[in-house]
Amino acid sequence: MERTLSIVKPDAVGKNLTGAILEKIEGSGLQIIALRRVLLSQSQAEAFYAVHRERPFYKSLVEFMTSGPVVVTALQGDNAIQRYRDLMGATNPEEAAEGTIRKLYASNIENNAVHGSDAPETAAAELAFFFRDLDYA
Ligand code: GDP
């Protein structure tokens, strides 16, 4: 069993796609074991994406991620990290495979509907960023 962090980003929440995306997640067999809707502050978004702070798109990414509420979930299942990455599709929706969340719902490489952790260490850190032990059920 493995856990990973998913975020439905402000573009998708703003288009009322939260339910459709959570349905894809549950339909894939991954279990939602914690859930929050939150409006990130600038400093929270900066901290969450600190790994990207030298990238040219960092400021724009932080602006986007604070532009509206996000829906954050903890997902659990066998090989959950890679399974959810596969379900999301490529970062750029133009390169995402048919049927993936980003192919279906992303607008462009930045407004790309969802986030998912990319490795066990980042999953642990990102889950701890949003959830406490009490939140898991
Ligand atoms: P992910 O793991 O597929 O989410 O991709 P990354 O970790 O590389 O990037 C984090 C997030 O930054 C992406 O999901 C996008 O929202 C945004 N992003 C990535 N690459 C670009 C880019 O080239 N331009 C812009 N504007 N945003 C980007």
Side-chain angles (χ1 to χ4, degrees):
M1 274 297 171
E2 193 172 63
R3 288 179 178 181
T4 190
L5 184 89
S6 161
I7 304 178
V8 182
K9 294 183 177 181
D11 58 327
V13 173
K15 287 189 266 185
N16 262 1
L17 290 169
T18 304
I21 290 170
L22 298 188
E23 191 173 1
K24 291 281 287 179
I25 289 170
E26 291 193 319
S28 80
L30 290 166
Q31 251 193 313
I32 297 169
I33 58 166
L35 184 149
R36 284 178 75 190
R37 175 172 157 125
V38 42
L39 180 58
L40 291 171
S41 68
Q42 184 176 328
S43 61
Q44 286 169 330
E46 285 171 353
F48 185 80
Y49 278 117
V51 63
H52 292 311
R53 65 184 168 274
E54 305 301 336
R55 303 274 203 103
F57 56 82
Y58 180 63
K59 189 165 176 275
S60 172
L61 177 61
V62 167
E63 267 172 36
F64 164 54
M65 290 301 289
T66 57
S67 66
V70 296
V71 174
V72 189
T73 53
L75 309 181
Q76 181 170 280
D78 292 331
N79 200 21
I81 295 170
Q82 189 57 50
R83 277 169 65 194
Y84 187 53
R85 298 285 299 180
D86 293 345
L87 184 63
M88 288 198 304
T91 309
N92 185 347
E94 287 175 18
E95 292 160 15
E98 289 299 328
T100 60
I101 292 171
R102 283 168 166 169
K103 183 70 176 188
L104 287 166
Y105 302 127
S107 304
N108 54 56
I109 193 167
E110 181 174 270
N111 293 218
N112 61 0
V114 280
H115 167 86
S117 310
D118 63 2
E121 302 72 36
T122 43
E126 290 177 2
L127 287 163
F129 188 93
F130 286 104
F131 297 113
R132 301 171 300 160
D133 285 348
L134 262 177
D135 295 320
Y136 296 103

